[in-house]
Amino acid sequence: MTFREMTPTSPSDKTAIRRELKRRRRILSAEQQKQAALALCQRLRKLPEICRARRISLYLPVNGEIDPTPLIPWLRQRRVAIYLPVLRPFSDNSLWFVAYGDTTPMVKNRFGIAEPCPRFAAQRRNRLPAWALDTLMVPLVGFDQHANRMGMGGGFYDRSLAFMRRPGPAPTLIGVAHACQQVDTLPIEPWDIPLNAVVSDTGVVRPTKTG
């Protein structure tokens, strides 16, 4: 049985699949990564949720994550405000969303990910509550045919977006990944925040409509 065909039913299953999918993206060559990023961004530019957004959060890739940053010049040309996730200090693994520009001072956080420096991020004028974003791009380790997401396991996005379980304003959530990170089915956990779509270098997956 391949990983694409597996449905994780236990923590050990999920750990094994997460390890394999992370390996798949890490072994992509620099040229494969570049071409995948360009193909991803071509698809993102056609997505209605991206085209109409005026405030977007994306991320800076690490460890083989697909790279959404080739989209930045196009967003700048359209005068879209760009934000990055930042580890919120003194919190239970949740995120701030902080303005990102050419002159934003950057540091590496405890995971080795570049993010706006704490002093810049702590200034309220430089950050936006997640509910005020139009569109939020979410990195992922794996996804399935129903646009369910497997994250890194830290729960950063799920905690930061828990407010979306209640009525009120909320961003559109777009998962982004390499096509090789797709599996057939993933379990849905009670704390999972659903995505509106997953976009890869080869296609777009939407949640299955019920009812």
Side-chain angles (χ1 to χ4, degrees):
M1 180 177 290
T2 67
F3 274 94
R4 185 177 173 87
E5 295 168 341
M6 285 183 64
T7 299
T9 58
S10 70
S12 60
D13 288 343
K14 293 181 70 172
T15 298
I17 292 178
R18 187 177 280 117
R19 185 185 303 116
E20 166 64 14
L21 295 179
K22 288 167 69 176
R23 184 195 68 83
R24 286 185 188 181
R25 71 187 189 191
R26 279 199 309 269
I27 65 174
L28 295 172
S29 68
E31 181 61 23
Q32 288 173 315
Q33 283 277 3
K34 177 182 176 181
Q35 294 304 318
L38 293 175
L40 169 77
C41 291
Q42 287 178 350
R43 294 185 184 281
L44 289 172
R45 287 173 59 170
K46 298 175 183 178
L47 214 63
E49 296 93 334
I50 299 293
C51 291
R52 62 174 175 253
R54 308 312 304 164
R55 296 173 299 277
I56 286 181
S57 175
L58 44 78
Y59 65 90
L60 304 182
V62 293
N63 299 326
E65 290 175 335
I66 199 163
D67 185 359
T69 63
L71 194 67
I72 288 178
W74 181 77
L75 294 173
R76 296 276 188 229
Q77 186 178 24
R78 294 168 61 86
R79 300 183 183 277
V80 176
I82 299 172
Y83 293 80
L84 292 179
V86 172
L87 296 182
R88 186 174 178 177
F90 315 116
S91 74
D92 54 347
N93 290 354
S94 61
L95 302 168
W96 276 339
F97 296 92
V98 178
Y100 176 61
D102 296 334
T103 60
T104 301
M106 305 290 286
V107 297
K108 287 190 176 181
N109 63 27
R110 67 179 184 267
F111 298 112
I113 303 171
E115 64 180 26
C117 75
R119 182 175 298 180
F120 180 87
Q123 299 176 42
R124 288 186 177 276
R125 69 175 182 272
N126 294 329
R127 65 180 193 264
L128 204 64
W131 61 261
L133 292 165
D134 297 315
T135 300
L136 198 160
M137 288 187 214
V138 184
L140 48 84
V141 173
F143 67 101
D144 67 16
Q145 58 190 329
H146 307 296
N148 295 314
R149 168 183 179 263
M150 175 181 284
M152 288 291 291
F156 290 93
Y157 280 92
D158 288 321
R159 289 188 186 91
S160 304
L161 300 172
F163 69 91
M164 294 182 64
R165 298 191 186 96
R166 304 183 296 272
T172 297
L173 302 183
I174 305 296
V176 290
H178 293 285
C180 65
Q181 294 172 248
Q182 185 173 1
V183 298
D184 281 345
T185 305
L186 289 172
I188 301 174
E189 306 290 357
W191 54 83
D192 288 343
I193 304 297
L195 300 174
N196 297 93
V198 176
V199 184
S200 74
D201 46 313
T202 64
V204 179
V205 178
R206 298 274 184 182
T208 303
K209 293 183 178 180
T210 59

